[in-house]
Amino acid sequence: IWFITQVVLVAFAAALLRWRLAAFLAYSASLAALCMAKGSVLYRQVHVFWSAFVMFVVYKRTKFRTKRNRHADQKAIEKEWMQCHAVLARFLFEQISELGGFWTKLGQQVSMNLGIPLPYQMELKKLQDGLSPSPLHEVLATIRAEFGAERSARISIDETAGPLGVASVAQVHQAMWLAPGETSPRKIVVKVQHRSAARRFKNDFWAAGVLARLIVLVDPEGFPDMKPILKTMREVTLNELDFKLEAANQQRASEAVRASKVNVVIPSVVPELVGTKAMAMEFIDGVRLSSEA
């Protein structure tokens, strides 16, 4: 798909060159500026809309071909659709893996929907694990900014060990915490938000809202109205970006569980280590819910 994209860009450049040199130079300069601005909001939005456009074109082309060949064998039509879904699912996974942020969270949610074609389930399930972590120096910088120099100096993270887990909003590290007045450190888990996560999520929500309106406008029969789902995800995710709110909810849940005497353990929050973008809690050893018994 990206090879075809490159061919289209080159062909368009050639057409502009034949038409007017100034237009060709302006087009080339805009492409060069976009490539140099990789990682910027502009590049990210162009990446999102171009990926959506490519997927929409491939989907509509397959839909047109199967309708035109409606007298063909049903198995042949199903095979063509499965091939289309396999290509688009792989393409979607690759783009989401590069974009991260809200798109990773959306892909994780979609992967659990058994109503979508199997290729999408298989590809998007990969987003549940194996996300790329933020560099450790960014993690340590966030910890210092949130907890201050004195408290962050009492936190020791093994620089040779990777994070315990990585999600779309944050990642968690096992650490040792020497509380003031104590002589021996204890194990804790530090949850640290990815740098610029809040800005990325807000920009991604805007782009997702625009895409949802455009898709329903262009093909209302082929795609459901995603606006209510996106609204709910926005409200939930914006709350997730405030770790002070999460820490308060976690502590309240822990107290409620203890009061009800249910045999469930919720890690206690370390009250001295709670910030908007970082928080700490006691370390409890366990196994993943997805692990085999």
Side-chain angles (χ1 to χ4, degrees):
I1 290 177
W2 280 119
F3 173 75
I4 297 174
T5 299
Q6 300 299 325
V7 171
V8 170
L9 292 176
V10 172
F12 188 64
L16 288 178
L17 182 60
R18 287 178 60 87
W19 176 55
R20 186 169 294 178
L21 179 60
F24 168 76
L25 292 176
Y27 171 75
S28 301
S30 63
L31 284 183
L34 188 62
C35 292
M36 292 176 63
K38 188 173 182 180
S40 66
V41 174
L42 175 61
Y43 180 90
R44 187 175 183 82
Q45 303 294 29
V46 171
H47 189 164
V48 168
F49 285 103
W50 180 253
S51 300
F53 174 75
V54 169
M55 292 189 64
F56 183 76
V57 169
V58 173
Y59 168 80
K60 294 294 286 186
R61 181 180 68 101
T62 305
K63 189 174 182 179
F64 174 77
R65 284 165 55 92
T66 53
K67 279 189 174 181
R68 187 182 60 181
N69 300 330
R70 58 182 179 273
H71 298 299
D73 180 61
Q74 185 64 28
K75 289 185 177 181
I77 294 177
E78 292 177 359
K79 182 179 179 182
E80 184 168 358
W81 269 115
M82 287 302 294
Q83 291 174 342
C84 171
H85 290 319
V87 171
L88 290 183
R90 182 62 185 177
F91 177 77
L92 180 61
F93 167 74
E94 291 175 349
Q95 304 321 306
I96 289 178
S97 297
E98 183 174 348
L99 288 166
F102 161 76
W103 305 106
T104 298
K105 183 174 286 292
L106 181 61
Q108 291 170 340
Q109 295 291 329
V110 172
S111 70
M112 295 184 287
N113 185 351
L114 299 180
I116 64 174
L118 185 60
Y120 296 98
Q121 296 180 39
M122 300 302 295
E123 290 290 343
L124 297 181
K125 276 183 180 178
K126 299 175 185 177
L127 297 171
Q128 302 290 347
D129 297 298
L131 299 182
S132 299
S134 295
L136 185 60
H137 69 85
E138 291 185 4
V139 172
L140 297 177
T142 301
I143 290 175
R144 285 193 295 270
E146 292 295 310
F147 301 151
E150 183 180 349
R151 282 178 293 175
S152 61
R154 294 177 172 273
I155 301 172
S156 176
I157 296 178
D158 185 357
E159 298 187 6
T160 62
L164 297 176
V166 183
S168 56
V169 173
Q171 63 192 54
V172 293
H173 290 264
Q174 181 178 326
M176 301 299 292
W177 160 244
L178 181 60
E182 295 185 2
T183 57
S184 59
R186 58 190 172 103
K187 285 185 180 181
I188 61 170
V189 168
V190 183
K191 182 177 180 179
V192 182
Q193 192 173 123
H194 299 304
R195 181 174 291 182
S196 303
R199 178 174 59 85
R200 280 191 174 189
F201 269 88
K202 291 175 182 177
N203 290 328
D204 289 346
F205 278 122
W206 176 86
V210 173
L211 282 177
R213 289 190 290 271
L214 288 176
I215 290 174
V216 171
L217 182 65
V218 175
D219 191 0
E221 297 180 358
F223 296 91
D225 186 2
M226 294 287 292
K227 293 194 293 293
I229 298 175
L230 292 174
K231 181 180 179 181
T232 302
M233 289 190 67
R234 176 184 174 85
E235 294 173 354
V236 172
T237 302
L238 291 181
N239 286 335
E240 289 182 11
L241 292 170
D242 185 354
F243 287 1
K244 289 184 178 179
L245 178 60
E246 179 178 339
N249 291 336
Q250 181 171 326
Q251 193 62 32
R252 187 162 54 249
S254 179
E255 293 171 358
V257 166
R258 284 198 299 268
S260 63
K261 299 181 180 180
V262 178
N263 189 23
V264 174
V265 178
I266 297 178
S268 298
V269 174
V270 180
E272 303 96 327
L273 301 177
V274 175
T276 304
K277 298 181 180 179
M279 61 176 289
M281 63 197 79
E282 66 173 321
F283 174 82
I284 298 178
D285 199 6
V287 296
R288 296 173 61 89
L289 292 175
S290 57
S291 300
E292 296 182 3

